Amino acid sequence: MRKIISSLFVSADGVAEAPDTWHFPYFNDEMGAAIGAAMATSDAMLLGRVQYEEFASHWPTSDDEFADFMNNQKKYVVTNTLTEASWNNTEIVSGDMVTSVEALKKTEGQDIAITGSLTLVQSLLRAGLLDQLQLFVHPIVVGKGARWFDKLDDTVELALASADVFSTGVINQIYAPAK
């Protein structure tokens, strides 16, 4: 069975919104290697509608070094509002989220990665469908913005699988569901 793995850039106060405004001064080769390792185990991305629309407006015309990867990777968009996807190699996943994601996990393939998509990550955590949560905790207090745990009304127990501190002060924390 495929695993669903979420990776989020978060501030010390839990903000995961708009990391493009505060994350980049902390990016280095150590973080690049950790991100690369996560990318190497996946062959698909799972996205919420908002994240999909943001990515689809940027990556198809980007000449960034990750553009080929992002454009060619299989993409699944969890949405009940979109009816078609214009970004190549994208499939819409609609209907009951739990049933749809459970079915997707049973398909053949490698891990399914989530980048961003806070509402989706929170929904998967609540439903017990997230297999791994990777938090790149940055040594900065942003003070405003959506936090990765804002909409988690129930307790979600996690088990720390590993933690590494990068030279920039970023802590790479990897959690699995507590058994």
Side-chain angles (χ1 to χ4, degrees):
M1 183 176 295
R2 300 171 89 171
K3 292 192 295 184
I4 297 180
I5 299 173
S6 171
S7 297
L8 298 172
F9 297 142
V10 300
S11 65
D13 56 340
V15 173
E17 183 178 9
D20 56 307
T21 63
W22 49 265
H23 153 75
F24 289 107
Y26 301 96
F27 187 88
N28 65 2
D29 290 342
E30 293 166 298
M31 186 181 291
I35 292 168
M39 290 169 47
T41 66
S42 68
D43 64 358
M45 288 187 284
L46 187 63
L47 302 163
R49 179 192 53 82
V50 172
Q51 189 73 61
Y52 168 77
E53 288 176 338
E54 288 177 13
F55 280 5
S57 70
H58 173 76
W59 289 111
T61 59
S62 175
D63 60 358
D64 182 278
E65 64 183 286
F66 293 110
D68 282 343
F69 175 83
M70 295 296 286
N71 289 319
N72 294 315
Q73 183 86 329
K74 177 68 178 175
K75 294 165 277 293
Y76 298 99
V77 183
V78 178
T79 179
N80 285 318
T81 56
L82 288 180
T83 55
E84 62 180 62
S86 59
W87 192 12
N88 70 310
N89 213 12
T90 299
E91 182 178 323
I92 292 178
V93 177
S94 60
D96 177 66
M97 188 271 304
V98 170
T99 303
S100 298
V101 172
E102 284 175 337
L104 184 58
K105 288 178 74 163
K106 292 177 183 174
T107 62
E108 292 293 319
Q110 294 179 293
D111 296 338
I112 302 167
I114 303 175
T115 301
S117 300
L118 294 180
T119 300
L120 177 60
V121 170
Q122 293 161 355
S123 296
L124 294 172
L125 274 169
R126 276 194 303 276
L129 292 171
L130 193 67
D131 299 290
Q132 183 175 298
L133 175 64
Q134 181 174 27
L135 301 176
F136 291 97
V137 182
H138 292 58
I140 184 173
V141 174
V142 176
K144 62 182 182 293
R147 297 176 299 170
W148 73 269
F149 52 80
D150 274 344
K151 295 179 183 175
L152 290 175
D153 300 329
D154 298 324
T155 299
V156 177
E157 291 189 38
L158 302 171
L160 183 64
S162 68
D164 296 303
V165 180
F166 300 150
S167 60
T168 59
V170 171
I171 304 171
N172 178 17
Q173 302 171 347
I174 298 178
Y175 295 93
K179 302 287 182 209

